[in-house]
Amino acid sequence: MGLGIIASIIVGGLAGWIASMIMKADTGILLNIILGIVGAVVLNTILSLLGIYAANSWIPQLIVGILGASLLIWGYRKMRS
């Protein structure tokens, strides 16, 4: 059982916001939520290919979301420059 839709939005928004603060990106709340959720999905997929699975609870998914969103921001900046 995963986090659920509401919890995923909350964790994704928080993860995207923290990642935007770390990466000094000027993003709005909607983009923060998208970055957090997509970042968590991307990094969870990468980690599962390596045989690493994050627990389906708030804290591990928040950490994965932050790292995933930071990875997306970094990748976007690299493609733009």
Side-chain angles (χ1 to χ4, degrees), residues 1-32:
M1 184 168 129
L3 290 179
I5 293 290
I6 302 296
S8 294
I9 291 171
I10 292 169
V11 171
L14 189 57
W17 176 72
I18 293 170
S20 70
M21 299 298 281
I22 291 170
M23 300 295 289
K24 296 189 181 4
D26 188 25
T27 57
I29 190 163
L30 183 61
L31 189 55
N32 284 345

Side-chain angles (χ1 to χ4, degrees), residues 34-59:
I34 293 169
L35 279 173
I37 293 172
V38 173
V41 169
V42 168
L43 194 57
N44 273 317
T45 302
I46 292 170
L47 291 175
S48 69
L49 293 173
L50 299 173
I52 302 169
Y53 298 97
N56 284 329
S57 61
W58 289 66
I59 300 299

